[in-house]
Amino acid sequence: MPLFSWAHFGVEHTFDPQYKFVSSPLFSPSVLAGLRSLVALYSLCTICTVLGFDVAAGDGKSFLSYFTLLSLVGLCAYYCAAAVQTFFYARYGRYPLRRWPRLLQGLHVLLQSTVIVFPIIVTIVYWALLSSGESFSTTYNSWANISQHALNSVYALFEILLTNAPPAPWLAVPLQIVLLAGYLGVAYITHATQGFYTYSFLDPAKGPILAAYIIGIAAGDILVFTLVRGVVALRQRWAIRSGRLRSASDGEVGGAGEAIDEWEEIERPVMGSGKTEGAPRVIDSGVGEGEVV
């Protein structure tokens, strides 16, 4: 087997045959789409507000120099995309990403894997190493730090616990490490161009401690990824046993070896359960105009 294959990355011949990325064991697709939209809207408002205050203080040019804000932008982008795809699924019984190129599907899987890992790392690192009395010194500081360093993990837990999204592929781990390493470049470019370190522990003057921090964060990413993946697997097992999600052996719609035809019949799961008994059948053209029969 090759080191990399689309199957290893969670992108089968038919992407997401059980519609896990757009369904929930507890909510109907419409409710899930609405909740994802709220997260996307609030995170976008957070980004715009923080950017506005930074610009007003003359710090706007360093806005994207912080991993916290970069990860929040990625989280916002994911929830915006996921909300749109889920709205399509709620309305038509399928969603556009399933017909898009595998590269875009793989990027969606990778982005989702960062959304359930990076916010947790940001929260741990900030409250363990970087927080101080200034964190709650003003109303704005309190709101900004809670929104960026606490609610971000709440958003991650929402995706981990309250959706049917499958466990992230193991191949996402080295790619996440590459992204973390890439951020080091951003941090040192910021120092070279603006004269400061975004995080004090990145100062090379700290010597061996710097290496310990870098290795520790990389190890933390692997540890958090593994723990989150285990929780997602347990949640998925519970959903299958409780009848809220069909297992892969139950003859799911659009199985891995089945091509998506221009016209096909699919069944929309019962709201919040993943079952299809008694649900209306939707004849879908693949364009988004479906007829219920």
Side-chain angles (χ1 to χ4, degrees), residues 219-236:
D221 179 85
I222 297 172
L223 177 61
V224 172
F225 181 94
T226 303
L227 293 175
V228 167
R229 197 177 192 280
V231 171
V232 172
L234 290 175
R235 184 256 295 152
Q236 183 171 264

Side-chain angles (χ1 to χ4, degrees), residues 17-238:
Q18 295 169 277
Y19 298 90
K20 293 179 180 179
F21 281 105
V22 289
S23 62
S24 165
L26 300 178
F27 311 120
S28 70
S30 297
V31 172
L32 178 61
L35 292 173
R36 280 175 162 170
S37 297
L38 289 176
V39 173
L41 178 62
Y42 185 81
S43 59
L44 178 61
C45 289
T46 300
I47 292 167
C48 293
T49 303
V50 172
L51 176 59
F53 272 82
D54 283 355
V55 170
D59 298 326
K61 61 183 179 181
S62 60
F63 178 77
L64 292 178
S65 296
Y66 292 90
F67 186 78
T68 294
L69 290 167
L70 289 172
S71 66
L72 187 60
V73 169
L75 185 149
C76 179
Y78 171 78
Y79 269 98
C80 286
V84 170
Q85 299 294 333
T86 309
F87 270 121
F88 267 92
Y89 177 63
R91 175 63 180 86
Y92 302 113
R94 67 187 301 170
Y95 62 102
L97 182 61
R98 297 183 74 238
R99 302 183 67 87
W100 291 357
R102 285 187 174 183
L103 177 60
L104 295 179
Q105 295 170 349
L107 289 174
H108 185 83
V109 172
L110 176 61
L111 181 58
Q112 194 269 350
S113 76
T114 65
V115 165
I116 59 178
V117 173
F118 286 174
I120 297 174
I121 295 175
V122 167
T123 297
I124 293 173
V125 171
Y126 179 79
W127 296 111
L129 300 176
L130 304 174
S131 62
S132 66
E134 293 294 319
S135 298
F136 298 101
S137 60
T138 66
T139 300
Y140 169 73
N141 284 348
S142 299
W143 170 82
N145 283 309
I146 290 172
S147 296
Q148 296 175 87
H149 304 117
L151 289 181
N152 58 338
S153 288
V154 174
Y155 306 149
L157 289 174
F158 177 89
E159 189 71 16
I160 293 168
L161 300 175
L162 302 181
T163 75
N164 283 325
W170 287 109
L171 275 177
V173 174
L175 294 177
Q176 288 185 8
I177 298 299
V178 169
L179 291 175
L180 290 172
Y183 175 72
L184 288 177
V186 173
Y188 290 119
I189 289 173
T190 297
H191 178 263
T193 57
Q194 301 181 44
F196 72 97
Y197 292 105
T198 50
Y199 301 106
S200 59
F201 58 79
L202 293 178
D203 187 349
K206 295 183 178 296
I209 298 179
L210 170 62
Y213 275 125
I214 293 175
I215 295 173
I217 291 176
D221 179 85
I222 297 172
L223 177 61
V224 172
F225 181 94
T226 303
L227 293 175
V228 167
R229 197 177 192 280
V231 171
V232 172
L234 290 175
R235 184 256 295 152
Q236 183 171 264
R237 182 177 301 178
W238 166 79

